Amino acid sequence: MSRRAAALFTGLALAAGGLTATALTAAPAGAVGSVAAAADVPVRVNQLGYLPDGPKRATVVSSATAPLAWQLRDAGGTVVASGTSTVRGADRASGQSTHLVDFGAYTGTGTGFTLVVGGQASHPFDISAALYDGLRADSMSFFYQQRSGIAIDAALAGSGYGRPAGHLGVAPNKGDTGVPCQAGVCDYRQDVRGGWYDAGDQGKYVVNGGIAVWQVVNSFERARRAGGEAALGDSTLRVPERGNGVPDVLDEARWELDFLLRMQVPAGRPMEGMAFHKVHDAQWTGLPTRPELDDQQRELHKPSTAATLNLAATAAQCARVYAPYDAAFASRCLDAARRAWAAARANPNVLAPGTDSTGGGAYDDADVSDEFYWAAAELLATTGESQFRDAVTSSPLHAKPADAFWWGGTATLGRITLATVPGVPLAADDLARVRGLLTTAADGYLSTMAGQGYAVPIPADGYVWGSNSQVANNAVVLAVAFELTGAQRYRAGALESLDYLLGRNALDRSYVTGYGERASENEHHRFWAHQNDASLPHPPAGSFAGGPNAGLQDPVAQAQLAGCAPAACYVDDIGSYSTNEVAINWNAPLAWLAAFAAERRAAPVTPSVQVTPSAVSVAEGGSAAVGVRLSAAPAQGVTVTVARASGDSDLSVPGTALVFTAANWSTAQQVAVAAAQDADAVAGSAVFSVGGSGVQGTTFTATEVDDDSAPPAASCAVVYKVDNAWGNGFTATVTVKNTGTSAMSGWTLGWSFAGDQRVSNAWNATVTQSGSAVTARDAGWNGALAPGASGSFGFQATYSGANAVPASFTVNGAVCA
């Protein structure tokens, strides 16, 4: 028996007795067509289901003024939980009277559950830890099937979804391998093949591609910090690159990143380094049209500052995330990001016009300060350079509240990066403030949800074009707040946002194709157009409809939805592009949330402290460093202290307290162990304890290397700090300080790695390596150091096994502290 048939059978079997029609009815607002009205039920649930350890709430449409009795029944009809509802009353967004049912105390698992209120049954749903595994894969498969410039393999996409490559210049196509500009924009052609088709049309837009690919890559960054990256790893998705040793989610994102890089104006051309705003047909593509059958001329549209900064931001993120998998591609991304940043600084007000809407969306944006902030944040997180820190901290947006993000408002993407990427070189109080901005925004979304019958993180006037994507984006902020704090209320808010998108809403509708008893299946699209042409398929499972839009900006919506309540202004019709289109920047947050929700979250464990190396030698009068990190994310922030437990009092760790959170637990923090300069000739040792409340402590041993005949240390000090580390690579910042009384005209720093570390690139210094020996020479402009002055440089390196901090350094040939 199918789930749809099973739901009908259960509903009939339970229909006897219960509430009056007046007390429990499905409100007619926004009901669309006889099929939708017949299937509509007043007990609204997440039609996919619920996680055993997550919130479990439903909304009942009822005008009853007293609480209603409810029962949770398993697939066999047995009552497994019961209680009474909470009267919510009038819900402004839906125009309905509602009750809330909370069955979160039930933690059993299974399939085919129904929630019954007075004999009226919900759609059946599951309770399972594996609930979101399928959606995690299908929401990402959407991007593969939106690829331009590659044949889509039915063995990967599913029967009926295979198609030839589109827009490769094979007749009748006229692009995208050599696309001309619009008249007056340029006098050459550009190869801009590849990438993802933006939405239901076949255009490709840098500003929409930017936010979409950032979220896809960021979902991997977040999963890696949480220790769940294996679920997004190699051979986890249906993509042709599976099995190449690279996480599949990064393979998919690279298809778009390569396109974005191709949209950069080449060197030697006017406005070099800028990015063309978009490429699409000269006229709107007809519906339906398969990509390989499109015979229109494609056109490049004028470069814009917004597109250029999208390129700078996403390419900088690329350089950071892809470095462990493809150093050459990461380097190419960083070069493109730097050139785009410089070009945007030189052309800060090249704005895309709102009138450029023939053949494709204008994607106009009159304020690019948010894109400047986002790009600077990404470049800072990747390079650690002061120029980008200055651009971040001097931006007026840096001190403003975290606003809702979308393709035209990207500042909060920068805030998320600053708050979560380990090792971002911001002052501790500044970093805490940025994190506070995000948690404050998340608290605001929770407050909005608490005041509604359907717990949606947007207000009643927020149902605009693509409202579902704003729900998903705000839920991403809730999930980020959970990462930063470990507070379960934020995870619950993110999961309840998915409840809304998957059926607990004013229309009893899942907005994700293939997920739920009443799921959208006629989204506006050029080649997933079964409603218009029976030979073409419906959108594939995992496609995400734009959602309710009170603006009603298309003829179908205007004809069918006049007078609708805001949250009911939706129709599952291919012609309703203002409520029912798909888009890459809508599926991206859905995929992000599905990956977040699908992570298995076992009972909290007590992290253990890890120290590398476990034994260290310290030169008399000098210092040596050990790295301290946790084995797992703490449930909330913990403070780890380091103190001498026994042994030689000449060895010390002055005033060391390290703070670890869910965002930085996996990044080693450096602790300096000092050995006092004295006249004895004893090489003492000491045991240091490392621990604190909420962690399993450990110890390490330090041994003094006594050398009373050795010359005093040179007049310098060196600080070596690992900023960011991943499975087989890391970035570090090295600071040289002149501690003497005379000026230093230039410096050459030397050290030896204890392991197999290899420097791959560096900035602000010329760094060479021979075997384990490394030499770094100043860049000229940072070589002169007055007494007390410091100079810094950074580098990226690979390693395996331990990543110990170098034991000693020389500056200009002399041993330095």
Side-chain angles (χ1 to χ4, degrees), residues 149-164:
I150 187 175
I152 302 304
D153 186 351
L156 297 174
S159 177
Y161 290 97
R163 58 175 173 82

Side-chain angles (χ1 to χ4, degrees), residues 46 61 301 328 478 499 661 760 771:
N46 179 330
V61 181
H301 292 243
L478 287 163
D499 293 346
T661 69
S760 55

Side-chain angles (χ1 to χ4, degrees), residues 357-596:
S357 57
T358 300
Y363 285 94
D364 52 311
D365 188 351
D367 180 2
V368 295
S369 61
D370 51 306
E371 283 86 1
F372 269 110
Y373 183 76
W374 174 33
E378 295 297 334
L379 282 159
L380 174 61
T382 298
T383 70
E385 293 177 13
S386 59
Q387 62 168 319
F388 302 120
R389 182 175 60 248
D390 293 344
V392 164
T393 57
S394 64
S395 170
L397 295 172
H398 191 53
K400 289 187 177 181
D403 50 354
F405 66 86
W406 57 297
W407 67 261
T410 57
T412 290
L413 304 183
R415 297 181 181 108
I416 291 172
T417 290
L418 295 174
T420 60
V421 173
V424 173
L426 285 178
D429 58 344
D430 198 16
L431 185 59
R433 186 189 55 77
V434 172
R435 290 173 173 168
L437 293 175
L438 291 169
T439 56
T440 297
D443 287 332
Y445 298 142
L446 292 179
S447 178
T448 297
M449 296 172 77
Q452 300 179 350
Y454 287 103
V456 194
I458 59 173
D461 60 1
Y463 291 88
V464 297
W465 198 313
S467 65
N468 280 348
S469 72
Q470 198 58 66
V471 171
N473 285 339
N474 292 352
V476 166
V477 173
L478 287 163
V480 168
F482 171 69
E483 177 184 355
L484 294 174
T485 67
Q488 289 295 324
R489 68 180 185 275
Y490 298 125
R491 177 173 181 255
L495 294 175
E496 283 207 86
S497 299
L498 280 169
D499 293 346
Y500 165 81
L501 298 173
L502 290 165
R504 185 190 163 198
N505 52 53
L507 295 177
D508 187 40
R509 161 83 60 183
S510 168
Y511 294 112
V512 183
T513 299
Y515 285 83
E517 292 294 305
R518 297 190 68 239
S520 300
E521 62 179 10
N522 293 305
E523 288 98 330
H524 179 80
H525 202 271
R526 292 302 190 277
F527 52 90
W528 299 329
H530 186 80
Q531 187 178 350
N532 276 14
D533 183 342
S535 70
L536 296 173
H538 287 290
S543 301
F544 189 29
N549 174 13
L552 305 182
Q553 291 106 331
D554 66 75
V556 172
Q558 292 164 7
Q560 297 195 36
L561 299 174
C564 57
C569 293
Y570 169 84
V571 57
D572 184 27
D573 188 293
I574 196 170
S576 184
Y577 50 82
S578 71
T579 76
N580 203 34
E581 193 167 12
V582 297
I584 54 176
N585 65 309
W586 300 348
N587 247 78
L590 176 67
W592 196 107
L593 286 173
F596 171 79

Side-chain angles (χ1 to χ4, degrees), residues 135-169:
L135 182 57
R136 174 175 56 196
D138 285 341
S139 58
M140 281 299 303
S141 179
F142 171 89
F143 293 97
Y144 169 59
Q145 299 192 54
Q146 286 280 100
R147 285 191 190 186
S148 175
I150 187 175
I152 302 304
D153 186 351
L156 297 174
S159 177
Y161 290 97
R163 58 175 173 82
H167 299 100
L168 277 183

Side-chain angles (χ1 to χ4, degrees), residues 637-656:
V638 297
T639 300
V640 172
T641 58
V642 184
R644 186 178 61 252
S646 62
D648 191 343
S649 61
D650 284 346
L651 292 158
S652 64
V653 179
T656 300

